[in-house]
PDB file of all heavy atoms in Angstrom:
ATOM      1  N   TYR A  88     304.798 -76.672 131.655  1.00  0.00           N
ATOM      2  CA  TYR A  88     304.461 -77.468 130.474  1.00  0.00           C
ATOM      3  C   TYR A  88     304.615 -76.618 129.219  1.00  0.00           C
ATOM      4  O   TYR A  88     304.698 -75.387 129.292  1.00  0.00           O
ATOM      5  CB  TYR A  88     303.068 -78.095 130.569  1.00  0.00           C
ATOM      6  CG  TYR A  88     301.908 -77.132 130.639  1.00  0.00           C
ATOM      7  CD1 TYR A  88     301.507 -76.376 129.530  1.00  0.00           C
ATOM      8  CD2 TYR A  88     301.169 -76.997 131.809  1.00  0.00           C
ATOM      9  CE1 TYR A  88     300.437 -75.513 129.598  1.00  0.00           C
ATOM     10  CE2 TYR A  88     300.092 -76.122 131.878  1.00  0.00           C
ATOM     11  CZ  TYR A  88     299.730 -75.393 130.767  1.00  0.00           C
ATOM     12  OH  TYR A  88     298.662 -74.541 130.833  1.00  0.00           O
ATOM     13  N   GLU A  89     304.660 -77.302 128.099  1.00  0.00           N
ATOM     14  CA  GLU A  89     304.890 -76.620 126.824  1.00  0.00           C
ATOM     15  C   GLU A  89     303.642 -75.892 126.363  1.00  0.00           C
ATOM     16  O   GLU A  89     302.530 -76.421 126.432  1.00  0.00           O
ATOM     17  CB  GLU A  89     305.284 -77.672 125.774  1.00  0.00           C
ATOM     18  CG  GLU A  89     305.607 -77.084 124.412  1.00  0.00           C
ATOM     19  CD  GLU A  89     305.942 -78.172 123.398  1.00  0.00           C
ATOM     20  OE1 GLU A  89     305.888 -79.366 123.752  1.00  0.00           O
ATOM     21  OE2 GLU A  89     306.241 -77.804 122.255  1.00  0.00           O
ATOM     22  N   ASP A  90     303.823 -74.659 125.913  1.00  0.00           N
ATOM     23  CA  ASP A  90     302.692 -73.898 125.386  1.00  0.00           C
ATOM     24  C   ASP A  90     302.238 -74.491 124.058  1.00  0.00           C
ATOM     25  O   ASP A  90     303.048 -74.748 123.176  1.00  0.00           O
ATOM     26  CB  ASP A  90     303.095 -72.432 125.179  1.00  0.00           C
ATOM     27  CG  ASP A  90     302.012 -71.666 124.438  1.00  0.00           C
ATOM     28  OD1 ASP A  90     300.890 -71.596 124.970  1.00  0.00           O
ATOM     29  OD2 ASP A  90     302.283 -71.183 123.327  1.00  0.00           O
ATOM     30  N   LYS A  91     300.937 -74.705 123.923  1.00  0.00           N
ATOM     31  CA  LYS A  91     300.400 -75.222 122.662  1.00  0.00           C
ATOM     32  C   LYS A  91     299.535 -74.196 121.943  1.00  0.00           C
ATOM     33  O   LYS A  91     299.152 -74.392 120.794  1.00  0.00           O
ATOM     34  CB  LYS A  91     299.578 -76.487 122.940  1.00  0.00           C
ATOM     35  CG  LYS A  91     300.448 -77.623 123.435  1.00  0.00           C
ATOM     36  CD  LYS A  91     299.699 -78.929 123.535  1.00  0.00           C
ATOM     37  CE  LYS A  91     300.662 -80.042 123.900  1.00  0.00           C
ATOM     38  NZ  LYS A  91     300.027 -81.110 124.638  1.00  0.00           N
ATOM     39  N   GLY A  92     299.220 -73.089 122.625  1.00  0.00           N
ATOM     40  CA  GLY A  92     298.339 -72.086 122.039  1.00  0.00           C
ATOM     41  C   GLY A  92     298.957 -71.350 120.860  1.00  0.00           C
ATOM     42  O   GLY A  92     298.348 -71.247 119.784  1.00  0.00           O
ATOM     43  N   ILE A  93     300.168 -70.845 121.056  1.00  0.00           N
ATOM     44  CA  ILE A  93     300.818 -70.067 119.981  1.00  0.00           C
ATOM     45  C   ILE A  93     301.083 -70.941 118.751  1.00  0.00           C
ATOM     46  O   ILE A  93     300.761 -70.522 117.628  1.00  0.00           O
ATOM     47  CB  ILE A  93     302.100 -69.380 120.491  1.00  0.00           C
ATOM     48  CG1 ILE A  93     301.710 -68.226 121.448  1.00  0.00           C
ATOM     49  CG2 ILE A  93     302.947 -68.852 119.341  1.00  0.00           C
ATOM     50  CD1 ILE A  93     302.870 -67.569 122.152  1.00  0.00           C
ATOM     51  N   PRO A  94     301.636 -72.160 118.890  1.00  0.00           N
ATOM     52  CA  PRO A  94     301.814 -73.005 117.692  1.00  0.00           C
ATOM     53  C   PRO A  94     300.498 -73.295 116.979  1.00  0.00           C
ATOM     54  O   PRO A  94     300.449 -73.309 115.739  1.00  0.00           O
ATOM     55  CB  PRO A  94     302.446 -74.289 118.251  1.00  0.00           C
ATOM     56  CG  PRO A  94     303.119 -73.869 119.505  1.00  0.00           C
ATOM     57  CD  PRO A  94     302.266 -72.771 120.080  1.00  0.00           C
ATOM     58  N   ALA A  95     299.414 -73.506 117.730  1.00  0.00           N
ATOM     59  CA  ALA A  95     298.110 -73.787 117.110  1.00  0.00           C
ATOM     60  C   ALA A  95     297.630 -72.576 116.316  1.00  0.00           C
ATOM     61  O   ALA A  95     297.104 -72.705 115.199  1.00  0.00           O
ATOM     62  CB  ALA A  95     297.078 -74.169 118.170  1.00  0.00           C
ATOM     63  N   LEU A  96     297.800 -71.388 116.874  1.00  0.00           N
ATOM     64  CA  LEU A  96     297.392 -70.166 116.189  1.00  0.00           C
ATOM     65  C   LEU A  96     298.223 -69.932 114.928  1.00  0.00           C
ATOM     66  O   LEU A  96     297.684 -69.591 113.866  1.00  0.00           O
ATOM     67  CB  LEU A  96     297.520 -68.967 117.130  1.00  0.00           C
ATOM     68  CG  LEU A  96     296.437 -68.852 118.215  1.00  0.00           C
ATOM     69  CD1 LEU A  96     296.865 -67.845 119.273  1.00  0.00           C
ATOM     70  CD2 LEU A  96     295.111 -68.460 117.600  1.00  0.00           C
ATOM     71  N   GLN A  97     299.539 -70.102 115.054  1.00  0.00           N
ATOM     72  CA  GLN A  97     300.410 -69.893 113.883  1.00  0.00           C
ATOM     73  C   GLN A  97     300.071 -70.881 112.764  1.00  0.00           C
ATOM     74  O   GLN A  97     300.043 -70.504 111.589  1.00  0.00           O
ATOM     75  CB  GLN A  97     301.882 -70.026 114.282  1.00  0.00           C
ATOM     76  CG  GLN A  97     302.415 -68.786 114.965  1.00  0.00           C
ATOM     77  CD  GLN A  97     303.902 -68.893 115.252  1.00  0.00           C
ATOM     78  OE1 GLN A  97     304.367 -69.910 115.761  1.00  0.00           O
ATOM     79  NE2 GLN A  97     304.643 -67.861 114.944  1.00  0.00           N
ATOM     80  N   ASP A  98     299.811 -72.120 113.138  1.00  0.00           N
ATOM     81  CA  ASP A  98     299.487 -73.130 112.134  1.00  0.00           C
ATOM     82  C   ASP A  98     298.204 -72.755 111.387  1.00  0.00           C
ATOM     83  O   ASP A  98     298.158 -72.777 110.157  1.00  0.00           O
ATOM     84  CB  ASP A  98     299.336 -74.500 112.808  1.00  0.00           C
ATOM     85  CG  ASP A  98     298.828 -75.560 111.838  1.00  0.00           C
ATOM     86  OD1 ASP A  98     299.586 -75.931 110.923  1.00  0.00           O
ATOM     87  OD2 ASP A  98     297.671 -75.999 111.977  1.00  0.00           O
ATOM     88  N   TRP A  99     297.169 -72.391 112.135  1.00  0.00           N
ATOM     89  CA  TRP A  99     295.893 -72.092 111.491  1.00  0.00           C
ATOM     90  C   TRP A  99     295.985 -70.829 110.630  1.00  0.00           C
ATOM     91  O   TRP A  99     295.531 -70.813 109.484  1.00  0.00           O
ATOM     92  CB  TRP A  99     294.782 -71.936 112.543  1.00  0.00           C
ATOM     93  CG  TRP A  99     293.433 -71.902 111.903  1.00  0.00           C
ATOM     94  CD1 TRP A  99     292.636 -72.974 111.618  1.00  0.00           C
ATOM     95  CD2 TRP A  99     292.730 -70.744 111.418  1.00  0.00           C
ATOM     96  NE1 TRP A  99     291.476 -72.549 110.985  1.00  0.00           N
ATOM     97  CE2 TRP A  99     291.518 -71.193 110.854  1.00  0.00           C
ATOM     98  CE3 TRP A  99     293.022 -69.383 111.415  1.00  0.00           C
ATOM     99  CZ2 TRP A  99     290.584 -70.318 110.292  1.00  0.00           C
ATOM    100  CZ3 TRP A  99     292.096 -68.506 110.852  1.00  0.00           C
ATOM    101  CH2 TRP A  99     290.892 -68.978 110.301  1.00  0.00           C
ATOM    102  N   LEU A 100     296.574 -69.793 111.166  1.00  0.00           N
ATOM    103  CA  LEU A 100     296.668 -68.529 110.420  1.00  0.00           C
ATOM    104  C   LEU A 100     297.543 -68.672 109.177  1.00  0.00           C
ATOM    105  O   LEU A 100     297.256 -68.065 108.144  1.00  0.00           O
ATOM    106  CB  LEU A 100     297.214 -67.426 111.330  1.00  0.00           C
ATOM    107  CG  LEU A 100     296.250 -66.975 112.443  1.00  0.00           C
ATOM    108  CD1 LEU A 100     297.008 -66.205 113.513  1.00  0.00           C
ATOM    109  CD2 LEU A 100     295.114 -66.131 111.873  1.00  0.00           C
ATOM    110  N   SER A 101     298.595 -69.473 109.273  1.00  0.00           N
ATOM    111  CA  SER A 101     299.473 -69.686 108.112  1.00  0.00           C
ATOM    112  C   SER A 101     298.724 -70.382 106.983  1.00  0.00           C
ATOM    113  O   SER A 101     298.981 -70.139 105.802  1.00  0.00           O
ATOM    114  CB  SER A 101     300.695 -70.516 108.503  1.00  0.00           C
ATOM    115  OG  SER A 101     301.491 -69.828 109.440  1.00  0.00           O
ATOM    116  N   ARG A 102     297.775 -71.258 107.344  1.00  0.00           N
ATOM    117  CA  ARG A 102     296.966 -71.934 106.330  1.00  0.00           C
ATOM    118  C   ARG A 102     295.824 -71.070 105.820  1.00  0.00           C
ATOM    119  O   ARG A 102     295.410 -71.192 104.675  1.00  0.00           O
ATOM    120  CB  ARG A 102     296.411 -73.252 106.894  1.00  0.00           C
ATOM    121  CG  ARG A 102     297.465 -74.321 107.116  1.00  0.00           C
ATOM    122  CD  ARG A 102     296.875 -75.651 107.532  1.00  0.00           C
ATOM    123  NE  ARG A 102     296.263 -75.629 108.849  1.00  0.00           N
ATOM    124  CZ  ARG A 102     294.956 -75.632 109.089  1.00  0.00           C
ATOM    125  NH1 ARG A 102     294.097 -75.662 108.073  1.00  0.00           N
ATOM    126  NH2 ARG A 102     294.488 -75.616 110.317  1.00  0.00           N
ATOM    127  N   ALA A 103     295.337 -70.182 106.676  1.00  0.00           N
ATOM    128  CA  ALA A 103     294.139 -69.409 106.330  1.00  0.00           C
ATOM    129  C   ALA A 103     294.429 -68.141 105.522  1.00  0.00           C
ATOM    130  O   ALA A 103     293.617 -67.741 104.688  1.00  0.00           O
ATOM    131  CB  ALA A 103     293.394 -69.025 107.602  1.00  0.00           C
ATOM    132  N   LEU A 104     295.572 -67.511 105.762  1.00  0.00           N
ATOM    133  CA  LEU A 104     295.823 -66.183 105.192  1.00  0.00           C
ATOM    134  C   LEU A 104     296.739 -66.231 103.978  1.00  0.00           C
ATOM    135  O   LEU A 104     297.713 -66.985 103.948  1.00  0.00           O
ATOM    136  CB  LEU A 104     296.444 -65.272 106.245  1.00  0.00           C
ATOM    137  CG  LEU A 104     295.573 -64.968 107.464  1.00  0.00           C
ATOM    138  CD1 LEU A 104     296.301 -64.050 108.418  1.00  0.00           C
ATOM    139  CD2 LEU A 104     294.251 -64.357 107.047  1.00  0.00           C
ATOM    140  N   LYS A 105     296.425 -65.399 103.009  1.00  0.00           N
ATOM    141  CA  LYS A 105     297.286 -65.249 101.830  1.00  0.00           C
ATOM    142  C   LYS A 105     298.347 -64.166 102.034  1.00  0.00           C
ATOM    143  O   LYS A 105     299.345 -64.127 101.326  1.00  0.00           O
ATOM    144  CB  LYS A 105     296.435 -64.910 100.604  1.00  0.00           C
ATOM    145  CG  LYS A 105     295.487 -66.030 100.190  1.00  0.00           C
ATOM    146  CD  LYS A 105     294.709 -65.655  98.934  1.00  0.00           C
ATOM    147  CE  LYS A 105     293.783 -66.790  98.498  1.00  0.00           C
ATOM    148  NZ  LYS A 105     293.013 -66.450  97.285  1.00  0.00           N
ATOM    149  N   ASN A 106     298.129 -63.258 102.965  1.00  0.00           N
ATOM    150  CA  ASN A 106     299.068 -62.156 103.204  1.00  0.00           C
ATOM    151  C   ASN A 106     300.370 -62.656 103.814  1.00  0.00           C
ATOM    152  O   ASN A 106     300.364 -63.609 104.603  1.00  0.00           O
ATOM    153  CB  ASN A 106     298.451 -61.152 104.183  1.00  0.00           C
ATOM    154  CG  ASN A 106     297.139 -60.588 103.703  1.00  0.00           C
ATOM    155  OD1 ASN A 106     296.191 -61.323 103.498  1.00  0.00           O
ATOM    156  ND2 ASN A 106     297.077 -59.280 103.530  1.00  0.00           N
ATOM    157  N   PRO A 107     301.489 -62.005 103.487  1.00  0.00           N
ATOM    158  CA  PRO A 107     302.728 -62.297 104.232  1.00  0.00           C
ATOM    159  C   PRO A 107     302.583 -61.797 105.671  1.00  0.00           C
ATOM    160  O   PRO A 107     302.048 -60.706 105.901  1.00  0.00           O
ATOM    161  CB  PRO A 107     303.810 -61.523 103.481  1.00  0.00           C
ATOM    162  CG  PRO A 107     303.101 -60.545 102.603  1.00  0.00           C
ATOM    163  CD  PRO A 107     301.703 -61.024 102.402  1.00  0.00           C
ATOM    164  N   ILE A 108     303.031 -62.612 106.621  1.00  0.00           N
ATOM    165  CA  ILE A 108     302.819 -62.306 108.042  1.00  0.00           C
ATOM    166  C   ILE A 108     304.154 -62.155 108.762  1.00  0.00           C
ATOM    167  O   ILE A 108     305.053 -62.968 108.612  1.00  0.00           O
ATOM    168  CB  ILE A 108     302.017 -63.425 108.728  1.00  0.00           C
ATOM    169  CG1 ILE A 108     300.665 -63.641 108.038  1.00  0.00           C
ATOM    170  CG2 ILE A 108     301.802 -63.107 110.215  1.00  0.00           C
ATOM    171  CD1 ILE A 108     299.967 -64.924 108.468  1.00  0.00           C
ATOM    172  N   THR A 109     304.245 -61.108 109.579  1.00  0.00           N
ATOM    173  CA  THR A 109     305.315 -60.980 110.567  1.00  0.00           C
ATOM    174  C   THR A 109     304.696 -61.292 111.924  1.00  0.00           C
ATOM    175  O   THR A 109     303.663 -60.706 112.285  1.00  0.00           O
ATOM    176  CB  THR A 109     305.894 -59.554 110.585  1.00  0.00           C
ATOM    177  OG1 THR A 109     306.473 -59.277 109.313  1.00  0.00           O
ATOM    178  CG2 THR A 109     306.966 -59.420 111.659  1.00  0.00           C
ATOM    179  N   TRP A 110     305.317 -62.230 112.643  1.00  0.00           N
ATOM    180  CA  TRP A 110     304.757 -62.669 113.928  1.00  0.00           C
ATOM    181  C   TRP A 110     305.404 -61.930 115.083  1.00  0.00           C
ATOM    182  O   TRP A 110     306.615 -61.694 115.088  1.00  0.00           O
ATOM    183  CB  TRP A 110     304.985 -64.164 114.136  1.00  0.00           C
ATOM    184  CG  TRP A 110     304.462 -65.048 113.060  1.00  0.00           C
ATOM    185  CD1 TRP A 110     305.188 -65.662 112.069  1.00  0.00           C
ATOM    186  CD2 TRP A 110     303.097 -65.445 112.838  1.00  0.00           C
ATOM    187  NE1 TRP A 110     304.354 -66.406 111.269  1.00  0.00           N
ATOM    188  CE2 TRP A 110     303.077 -66.288 111.706  1.00  0.00           C
ATOM    189  CE3 TRP A 110     301.906 -65.150 113.491  1.00  0.00           C
ATOM    190  CZ2 TRP A 110     301.904 -66.853 111.214  1.00  0.00           C
ATOM    191  CZ3 TRP A 110     300.731 -65.711 113.008  1.00  0.00           C
ATOM    192  CH2 TRP A 110     300.737 -66.557 111.890  1.00  0.00           C
ATOM    193  N   GLN A 111     304.600 -61.585 116.075  1.00  0.00           N
ATOM    194  CA  GLN A 111     305.071 -61.111 117.365  1.00  0.00           C
ATOM    195  C   GLN A 111     304.444 -62.025 118.409  1.00  0.00           C
ATOM    196  O   GLN A 111     303.217 -62.058 118.538  1.00  0.00           O
ATOM    197  CB  GLN A 111     304.638 -59.657 117.609  1.00  0.00           C
ATOM    198  CG  GLN A 111     305.301 -58.635 116.705  1.00  0.00           C
ATOM    199  CD  GLN A 111     306.696 -58.289 117.185  1.00  0.00           C
ATOM    200  OE1 GLN A 111     307.078 -58.544 118.335  1.00  0.00           O
ATOM    201  NE2 GLN A 111     307.491 -57.710 116.293  1.00  0.00           N
ATOM    202  N   THR A 112     305.235 -62.804 119.121  1.00  0.00           N
ATOM    203  CA  THR A 112     304.679 -63.773 120.070  1.00  0.00           C
ATOM    204  C   THR A 112     305.104 -63.430 121.499  1.00  0.00           C
ATOM    205  O   THR A 112     306.228 -62.969 121.731  1.00  0.00           O
ATOM    206  CB  THR A 112     305.117 -65.209 119.737  1.00  0.00           C
ATOM    207  OG1 THR A 112     306.543 -65.302 119.813  1.00  0.00           O
ATOM    208  CG2 THR A 112     304.661 -65.602 118.329  1.00  0.00           C
ATOM    209  N   ARG A 113     304.190 -63.670 122.426  1.00  0.00           N
ATOM    210  CA  ARG A 113     304.445 -63.409 123.844  1.00  0.00           C
ATOM    211  C   ARG A 113     303.849 -64.555 124.662  1.00  0.00           C
ATOM    212  O   ARG A 113     302.712 -64.966 124.421  1.00  0.00           O
ATOM    213  CB  ARG A 113     303.802 -62.097 124.305  1.00  0.00           C
ATOM    214  CG  ARG A 113     304.179 -60.853 123.488  1.00  0.00           C
ATOM    215  CD  ARG A 113     305.579 -60.376 123.780  1.00  0.00           C
ATOM    216  NE  ARG A 113     305.854 -59.118 123.099  1.00  0.00           N
ATOM    217  CZ  ARG A 113     306.332 -59.010 121.847  1.00  0.00           C
ATOM    218  NH1 ARG A 113     306.564 -60.112 121.139  1.00  0.00           N
ATOM    219  NH2 ARG A 113     306.575 -57.822 121.317  1.00  0.00           N
TER     220      ARG A 113
END
Side-chain angles (χ1 to χ4, degrees):
Y88 63 72
E89 182 182 2
D90 171 61
K91 293 188 174 151
I93 289 173
L96 285 166
Q97 281 185 313
D98 173 69
W99 191 88
L100 290 163
S101 296
R102 290 186 293 106
L104 297 181
K105 295 182 178 180
N106 302 60
I108 302 167
T109 297
W110 304 103
Q111 292 280 343
T112 61
R113 305 286 186 272

